[in-house]
Amino acid sequence: MTRTRLTAACLALLMTSVSGHAIAQQQPNTADVIAPAALPRAVPPIPAPTSASYPGVITLNVDASDVDRGLMNVTQTIPVSAGSVTLLYPKFLPGNHAPTGPISMLTGLTITANGQPLQWLRDPVDPWAFHLEVPQGATQLDVAFTALTPTGEGQGRRLQTPEMLNLQWEKALLYPAGYNAKGIAVVPSVKLPVGWRYGVALETASFDNDLARFAQTDLYTLVDSPMFAGINFREIALGGGDQPVRATVVADKPIQLEGGDARVDQMEALVVQADRLFGGERHFDHYTFLVGVTDTLGDVGLEHHRSSENTVATGYFTGEGKVPYGDLAVIPHEYVHSWNGKFRRPADQMFPNYNVPTTNSLLWVYEGQTQYWGDVLTARSGFVSKEEALAVLAGVAASYQNQAGRQWRPLQDTTNTPILGYRAPNPYPTFARGTDYYRESGLIWLDADTLIRAETRGRKSLDDFAKRFFGVEAEGWLPQGYTFEDVVAALNAVHPHDWATFLRTRLDAVNAPPFLDGLERGGYRLAYVDTPSDAEKKINSTWENDFQYSLGFSLAGPTNRITGVRWGGLAFEQGLGAGWELVAVNDMAASPKALRDAVTTAKGGSEPIRLILKNGERFRTVALPYHEGLRYPRLERIEGSRDYLGDILAPRRR
């Protein structure tokens, strides 16, 4: 398919859902009724996006060389004609599922035409929009602003350090309202610090004197193609033949890029195992893992069609220090998203541009099934052992077995969480619930997988669903939407079952026991032990401070601060909340070990565990009547059952 035909097809698809129903358009605001006396002039409505292509090509130049001060200086030329124009700063960011565009970080905005400054007017209802009047005779706008990036605590995720940067184009541009992102042509460039190299999914036109120029693309592809750049740089080929997959890695220090043959083998295995899972031809011409080995750049794991943004621990390649499970699983998770979330995505997220509100009703597929396959591929690729993968599952199962929030809030409602407060901290997450559409949904997909395997005696599995649903052939890279009905139909095509009821029962349940059937059907049951295994300690690296399933809290920091108080747990029932510090245990100086010893000693006895706690200038003594010992989750084999979990986690041979 030619680029012209592809763009036209994408425009049509992104304006309409797969079921043929028109997607909700950006609604005109009511700001035009504001009295002119309140503002310099009347505010026009924001144009809704249409399928027409934007006339002309926008140039975008980002100077990202001022990494010491965390500044990105942006200039743009935007072709226009006389009349009212509205420019938008991206608001609803892909992969965030929320209005997270950091508009407050856009500063110093100036717009000129024919060398004359124009007075822009921010929309009072939607402050991501800027209105202006283009004078007669003007053919382009010259836009300049500075995009600030966080430099300290509490400002947001850090995007620039003296050694590396993460350029996310949507944070450094304005675009005209009234158009589909696929219909807006852009020629981008970026100025880097001296001697830096970069990784990006865009096609490089030239790279001279630290200035990277890229071939013309569309706004949709640009926003979907972030950059990692740095002074300490490594590129790793991971196979893929005519559709190559590679990793471009930047690091805080050169030594952090050295070695790592075993890790590279795992990344190569990931590419192979994903091919075997999803089957069919890859739906990209190339793919790049953008990897930051760092403890200074802000943490990220974000999906894109032809790349992903990932930060990992500084010992990721060298093997020095602990690499948390999340850092091992992030690259498999985001790679799965290229199939689920980018190539195929919920129909109610097929929106035409970045200022139309998002809808998240199918995040339990978009994120939940990606969570499932990400964990599975993490094991199949050798990033973790089978024992470690089972430890992950045990931790997830235990958290939902003990989660009070399931008493009032169904899993389906948690898909609204990004809009309610994107990654907002909560003092009682076990009751409020949050992004459970990741992990609890993963248990649903495990349940479905083991059900198919058990009822077909191992002849079919959820792998067959993945190949049928995500491995479909596509013309070009056209994104394809899916609905609840599409998911049900694809499951039934693999193995007939009342999948609609199966899913809705689990999604809409309130005050029901956790759905752990997938574990027992898979050959395991959830149990609790007083001493975790080495694999369990590796996965739960804070196990020494973890009293979640005994006393109902965790300890943190040198002051033994009480955190993660579990709603309905023993500590909670004794009136304790976050913020207290543990001073003494049974009249001895407090420490995690002292508390573990006290819990162990009290097992089977009758004497309470006495705690002295401090909160500011207040002290308190609490006697906890607990006698069941330490409790850490574990999956135990059910004797005589088939080990379907072992089958799921084992590498595929074809």
Side-chain angles (χ1 to χ4, degrees):
M1 173 177 282
T2 65
R3 175 65 64 183
T4 301
R5 291 176 62 201
L6 175 62
T7 298
C10 282
L11 282 169
L13 182 64
L14 289 170
M15 293 297 294
T16 309
S17 74
V18 293
S19 61
H21 298 296
I23 286 190
Q25 297 297 301
Q26 182 175 344
Q27 296 299 314
N29 64 35
T30 58
D32 54 328
V33 303
I34 293 178
L39 293 168
R41 59 182 182 274
V43 180
I46 300 172
T50 67
S51 59
S53 294
Y54 187 73
V57 178
I58 296 172
T59 64
L60 170 64
N61 307 303
V62 179
D63 184 343
S65 61
D66 195 348
V67 292
D68 287 330
R69 294 189 297 181
L71 304 178
M72 293 189 184
N73 295 302
V74 179
T75 59
Q76 294 179 259
T77 61
I78 303 176
V80 292
S81 56
S84 296
V85 171
T86 300
L87 299 180
L88 302 175
Y89 184 80
K91 179 178 182 179
F92 291 90
L93 302 189
N96 288 183
H97 318 299
T100 55
I103 185 63
S104 64
M105 304 295 261
L106 186 153
T107 62
L109 176 62
T110 62
I111 303 175
T112 62
N114 292 335
Q116 299 299 312
L118 301 182
Q119 184 185 42
W120 51 262
L121 182 63
R122 191 189 300 266
D123 194 287
V125 175
D126 187 348
W128 283 260
F130 299 86
H131 304 284
L132 58 153
E133 294 295 323
V134 179
Q136 291 294 328
T139 59
Q140 75 175 38
L141 299 177
D142 296 300
V143 178
F145 63 89
T146 298
L148 308 179
T149 69
T151 58
E153 294 293 329
Q155 298 174 4
R157 177 179 165 258
R158 192 169 185 185
L159 299 173
Q160 293 177 293
T161 78
E163 293 78 30
M164 68 181 71
L165 69 85
N166 176 195
L167 172 58
Q168 298 173 316
W169 299 98
E170 68 273 11
K171 294 179 171 64
L173 61 83
L174 295 174
Y175 71 96
Y179 296 88
N180 188 301
K182 268 285 184 183
I184 300 175
V186 185
V187 175
S189 69
V190 59
K191 179 71 173 178
L192 297 173
V194 176
W196 282 29
R197 289 187 286 170
Y198 64 89
V200 70
L202 298 173
E203 179 184 346
T204 298
S206 65
F207 184 41
D208 300 302
N209 298 319
D210 307 302
L211 178 64
R213 300 181 185 275
F214 302 100
Q216 179 177 313
T217 187
D218 56 77
L219 181 63
Y220 173 86
T221 302
L222 177 67
V223 168
D224 199 41
S225 305
M227 171 188 288
F228 270 26
I231 188 64
N232 306 310
F233 183 91
R234 178 183 180 186
E235 188 164 77
I236 305 169
L238 299 172
D242 294 336
Q243 299 156 303
V245 179
R246 64 180 181 270
T248 58
V249 189
V250 294
D252 292 336
K253 300 175 182 178
I255 194 173
Q256 295 162 353
L257 298 174
E258 296 178 1
D261 289 347
R263 188 72 72 214
V264 173
D265 289 345
Q266 293 162 358
M267 297 172 79
E268 291 176 339
L270 169 62
V271 175
V272 171
Q273 289 298 319
D275 283 345
R276 292 174 180 172
L277 173 62
F278 296 114
E281 292 188 9
R282 296 177 185 148
H283 49 274
F284 46 73
D285 56 345
H286 58 80
Y287 188 94
T288 303
F289 297 113
L290 302 172
V291 183
V293 182
T294 178
D295 57 12
T296 58
L297 195 72
D299 290 342
V300 67
L302 193 60
E303 67 272 15
H304 303 281
H305 196 134
R306 298 188 297 166
S307 63
S308 59
E309 300 167 82
N310 315 273
T311 51
V312 296
T314 55
Y316 187 80
F317 288 104
T318 64
E320 296 180 359
K322 294 180 179 179
V323 179
Y325 176 78
D327 289 10
L328 297 173
V330 64
I331 289 176
H333 179 99
E334 304 306 341
Y335 192 43
V336 170
H337 265 316
S338 186
W339 283 266
N340 182 18
K342 302 310 275 187
F343 170 53
R344 296 215 67 182
R345 70 188 66 169
D348 61 5
Q349 290 201 354
M350 300 279 283
F351 289 104
N353 69 27
Y354 308 107
N355 292 70
V356 174
T358 187
T359 307
N360 298 326
S361 68
L362 286 167
L363 282 185
W364 52 273
V365 186
Y366 180 122
E367 295 291 3
Q369 193 170 138
T370 296
Q371 184 70 54
Y372 179 69
W373 289 128
D375 288 340
V376 167
L377 288 179
T378 299
R380 289 183 184 179
S381 305
F383 286 93
V384 296
S385 66
K386 175 185 176 182
E387 290 72 22
E388 291 162 352
L390 292 176
V392 172
L393 272 174
V396 173
S399 69
Y400 290 109
Q401 189 180 64
N402 294 275
Q403 190 202 64
R406 300 183 77 258
Q407 298 170 3
W408 72 277
R409 189 179 185 191
L411 177 60
Q412 179 67 67
D413 186 62
T414 69
T415 65
N416 295 301
T417 296
I419 302 296
L420 298 176
Y422 181 72
R423 304 292 167 91
N426 189 291
Y428 294 102
T430 57
F431 192 59
R433 305 196 79 179
T435 57
D436 291 336
Y437 52 81
Y438 281 91
R439 283 294 184 188
E440 187 175 347
S441 298
L443 290 176
I444 290 178
W445 294 112
L446 173 65
D447 197 354
D449 198 348
T450 56
L451 186 151
I452 295 170
R453 290 172 186 265
E455 293 192 352
T456 65
R457 298 186 179 181
R459 293 189 299 273
K460 296 286 186 179
S461 70
L462 201 65
D463 288 44
D464 297 285
F465 170 89
K467 182 174 292 187
R468 171 180 291 271
F469 199 69
F470 300 113
V472 296
E473 293 185 7
E475 189 175 7
W477 308 330
L478 283 174
Q480 298 187 7
Y482 58 75
T483 64
F484 178 86
E485 291 75 18
D486 293 330
V487 174
V488 169
L491 286 167
N492 275 312
V494 172
H495 175 61
H497 187 76
D498 186 1
W499 290 109
T501 299
F502 174 94
L503 293 171
R504 290 262 56 101
T505 298
R506 288 155 178 76
L507 293 168
D508 303 332
V510 175
N511 203 23
F515 295 98
L516 303 182
D517 295 350
L519 296 177
E520 297 200 4
R521 200 183 294 113
Y524 293 79
R525 65 170 61 90
L526 178 63
Y528 293 88
V529 297
D530 57 13
T531 304
S533 68
D534 289 343
E536 291 160 350
K537 289 178 181 178
K538 183 177 179 181
I539 294 302
N540 182 13
S541 59
T542 61
W543 69 272
E544 294 174 303
N545 301 337
D546 183 358
F547 301 89
Q548 282 293 315
Y549 306 120
S550 52
L551 305 180
F553 61 82
S554 299
L555 293 178
T559 61
N560 298 310
R561 179 168 46 90
I562 288 181
T563 63
V565 175
R566 182 165 55 81
W567 191 282
L570 180 61
F572 180 85
E573 294 301 324
Q574 293 291 318
L576 294 181
W580 289 91
E581 298 174 5
L582 185 60
V583 176
V585 180
N586 290 342
D587 301 326
M588 301 295 291
S591 69
K593 183 179 185 305
L595 187 55
R596 291 198 308 276
D597 290 345
V599 172
T600 300
T601 300
K603 184 176 181 179
S606 58
E607 290 295 315
I609 301 169
R610 299 185 308 280
L611 308 180
I612 299 177
L613 304 115
K614 177 179 182 292
N615 192 341
E617 296 183 355
R618 299 169 59 205
F619 284 83
R620 183 178 175 190
T621 300
V622 176
L624 299 180
Y626 181 75
H627 308 287
E628 297 178 29
L630 296 168
R631 300 177 81 238
Y632 302 99
R634 173 176 295 172
L635 294 188
E636 294 182 342
R637 281 285 286 128
I638 299 174
E639 186 176 352
S641 65
R642 177 162 174 176
D643 187 2
Y644 281 121
L645 290 190
D647 296 341
I648 291 169
L649 299 172
R652 289 189 57 157
R653 295 187 175 88
R654 58 183 177 85

